[in-house]
Amino acid sequence: MVPTMVLVADDSNDAHRARSLHELADAVAGRGEAPVVPAFGARKEVQRELDAVTGPKVVVPAYVAGGCVDSAGLYASLDLGTGPDAGGGVCATAPLGAVPSIVADLAGRLAERGWEPGDGVVLAADGGESAEERQAVAEVARMLSRRLGAPVQVGFVTAWAPTVADAVERLRSADAGRVAVAAWRLVADADFDRLRALDAVVTPPLWPSDNVVDTLLAQHRAATARLAV
């Protein structure tokens, strides 16, 4: 029996994110590899959807590490059913982080938006509560820097410092030429609209991209293998 993929994220206060997340879930389900249940909303709604799934399931965060502070808080608060009494039928995965193919896609989006060597780059993340998220964002910045052959500053949208606007201004003050913002966000949302308001080139969210669907399904296959052991 193929485990159900349960995609989890908070979309309770954001119509942009809700629409994008459901489009992502439809795209993953459209591959036909596994049944997909979108569990999006506030905590009670998500927990209800999660508990309603019978049989083996793989719980997959529908956000990138350090890229959605609301979803990270939601995910940490859920009873995922992975404890000692779960019977081996549940596997929870980590949010997408410094995946080489996703970082390569992000670099390609910068080039598509006109970034050239010598331009400044800011990786725009959301921030979060955990050290793991902070480490994931830092690793994405390092990988992106190596791929571009250029320094990458990190700026935060809703948590931590410096803010994205501060990081952009810092690069301008250092005469870094044009400044491009690499958006470390899985889907479009209201916070992404704030990035668009900056006086800088901004990459679109990582979704839509076949690469995102491929990576989520790869997570599901790896988790399915662990459940089978």
Side-chain angles (χ1 to χ4, degrees), residues 80-145:
L80 300 176
T82 55
D85 299 325
V90 183
C91 185
T93 73
L96 299 180
V99 179
S101 60
I102 290 181
V103 176
D105 188 28
L106 188 56
R109 288 165 183 260
L110 282 167
E112 289 171 0
R113 296 292 288 170
W115 178 87
E116 296 178 349
D119 294 343
V121 182
V122 175
L123 179 70
D126 206 10
E129 298 293 333
S130 71
E132 288 82 3
E133 287 181 297
R134 184 185 291 270
Q135 183 176 358
V137 171
E139 181 59 21
V140 169
R142 284 192 292 268
M143 291 174 64
L144 184 60
S145 176

Side-chain angles (χ1 to χ4, degrees), residues 36-55:
V36 177
V37 170
F40 306 138
R43 185 190 181 283
K44 287 185 178 179
E45 298 168 311
V46 172
Q47 189 69 60
R48 183 169 59 247
E49 292 288 348
L50 184 62
D51 293 343
V53 177
T54 58

Side-chain angles (χ1 to χ4, degrees), residues 59-210:
V59 186
V60 180
Y63 59 92
V64 291
C68 181
V69 67
D70 290 338
S71 292
L74 166 73
Y75 197 56
S77 73
L78 293 173
D79 178 5
L80 300 176
T82 55
D85 299 325
V90 183
C91 185
T93 73
L96 299 180
V99 179
S101 60
I102 290 181
V103 176
D105 188 28
L106 188 56
R109 288 165 183 260
L110 282 167
E112 289 171 0
R113 296 292 288 170
W115 178 87
E116 296 178 349
D119 294 343
V121 182
V122 175
L123 179 70
D126 206 10
E129 298 293 333
S130 71
E132 288 82 3
E133 287 181 297
R134 184 185 291 270
Q135 183 176 358
V137 171
E139 181 59 21
V140 169
R142 284 192 292 268
M143 291 174 64
L144 184 60
S145 176
R146 288 196 296 268
R147 180 163 287 274
L148 295 174
V152 174
Q153 304 290 322
V154 177
F156 297 101
V157 179
T158 60
W160 303 339
T163 66
V164 178
D166 288 342
V168 169
E169 184 57 34
R170 183 181 301 169
L171 285 172
R172 287 218 172 90
S173 298
D175 196 22
R178 295 183 304 173
V179 178
V181 175
W184 184 239
R185 311 192 77 76
L186 187 63
V187 298
D189 55 17
D191 286 335
F192 184 73
D193 290 340
R194 292 165 60 187
L195 295 179
R196 285 197 186 101
L198 295 170
D199 183 19
V201 171
V202 181
T203 65
L206 297 168
W207 165 256
S209 166
D210 288 341

